[in-house]
Amino acid sequence: MGVFDKAERKIDSVVGKVFARAFKGDVQPVEIAAGIQRELDAEAKLLSKGKKLVPNHFTIGLSQHDYERLYPYARTLNAEILPGIREHAAEHGYVFNGPLSITYELDQSLPTGQFTIRSEAVEGRAPAGSAGGRLVIEVHGVRHPLVPPGLVVGRGADADLRLNDPGVSRRHALITVGGTEDRPVVTIEDLGSTNGVIVNGTKVTKTALREGARIELGNTRLLVHAPTEL
């Protein structure tokens, strides 16, 4: 039966397209797989005798906590999930209109342990952004995905990435993310901070960030990189 047996394919609670754990906790890969399989069953359209067309692209909405935990490992996660999806499709006579792909996006309205699924049938090659190849910024061992449009780094409550560092201004720097999934364009800009922004040992006002970039904000060190697990 592969990675996921039939018992694991059942999900505990479904309200529309919002999936929740029976017990509080993080979203697990097996639950995402089960949710996608239920999405296939719900969206299957009859093509011919014994054959049904199903979606092949899935967008998984995750809470802030689950997104930060899972997104950096998107490629490994998909490699674990997709074989079970293909097996489920084969067992039910489902056919895809193109390659299977799964993307992950942040939905700040979701609590930890819940996720949403959107699906579509995409003809031809997988849509851009299916593999999760973007850079992350790592602070104290915690990875924060760098996704468009970017984020404000600072000590204040309104900062997207908050740093508990007296040497960091309330709105210290703006990291802007553009480009494509495979070729991200990332820049950092000083927002008029007291102590400035240092990238690779040089104080900057605005500069591009590439894999391996070392950032210093106050007494905090940040690293930009693409995790090998992606």
Side-chain angles (χ1 to χ4, degrees):
M1 296 303 297
V3 177
F4 307 106
D5 60 29
K6 288 184 181 296
E8 289 176 317
R9 287 175 183 162
K10 296 179 181 179
I11 200 156
D12 298 303
S13 177
V14 182
V15 181
K17 299 292 179 68
V18 179
F19 297 79
R21 293 175 57 84
F23 304 98
K24 290 183 179 180
D26 301 338
V27 170
Q28 300 299 322
V30 66
E31 296 168 323
I32 295 175
I36 291 176
Q37 289 169 357
R38 292 190 69 128
E39 184 75 0
L40 293 181
D41 297 340
E43 297 298 325
K45 303 293 189 298
L46 184 64
L47 278 179
S48 60
K49 186 176 181 179
K51 296 292 182 183
K52 295 180 180 179
L53 178 67
V54 291
N56 61 307
H57 177 62
F58 305 90
T59 301
I60 311 300
L62 297 167
S63 69
Q64 181 82 41
H65 171 79
D66 288 312
Y67 183 83
E68 291 180 357
R69 185 176 61 88
L70 294 176
Y71 183 85
Y73 306 96
R75 187 165 296 166
T76 299
L77 185 62
N78 289 355
E80 182 179 354
I81 291 174
L82 289 175
I85 302 304
R86 294 189 180 97
E87 183 181 345
H88 182 79
E91 289 177 356
H92 291 78
Y94 296 157
V95 295
F96 302 107
N97 205 31
L100 276 173
S101 60
I102 306 172
T103 62
Y104 302 87
E105 67 177 17
L106 174 63
D107 184 342
Q108 294 182 327
S109 68
L110 289 172
T112 298
Q114 290 190 4
F115 63 97
T116 60
I117 296 179
R118 298 199 315 271
S119 65
E120 57 184 326
V122 180
E123 187 175 2
R125 65 184 182 88
S130 61
R134 288 196 178 272
L135 300 172
V136 301
I137 187 165
E138 186 166 328
V139 189
H140 303 311
V142 179
R143 295 167 175 173
H144 304 269
L146 291 174
V147 296
L151 49 86
V152 172
V153 184
R155 185 168 44 86
D158 60 341
D160 301 304
L161 175 53
R162 293 185 66 185
L163 302 179
N164 185 19
D165 181 341
V168 172
S169 298
R170 294 180 63 82
R171 289 174 58 87
H172 197 110
L174 171 65
I175 297 178
T176 302
V177 182
T180 65
E181 186 79 12
D182 294 327
R183 295 180 180 233
V185 177
V186 183
T187 61
I188 187 168
E189 179 181 358
D190 190 345
L191 294 178
S193 66
T194 301
N195 295 318
V197 174
I198 298 175
V199 177
N200 297 328
T202 302
K203 193 169 186 178
V204 301
T205 301
K206 183 176 182 179
T207 191
L209 295 176
R210 296 178 175 82
E211 183 175 3
R214 293 171 289 107
I215 305 169
E216 298 176 44
L217 305 179
N219 298 309
T220 303
R221 308 292 183 269
L222 306 91
L223 175 65
V224 175
H225 65 110
T228 56
E229 294 89 343
L230 279 178

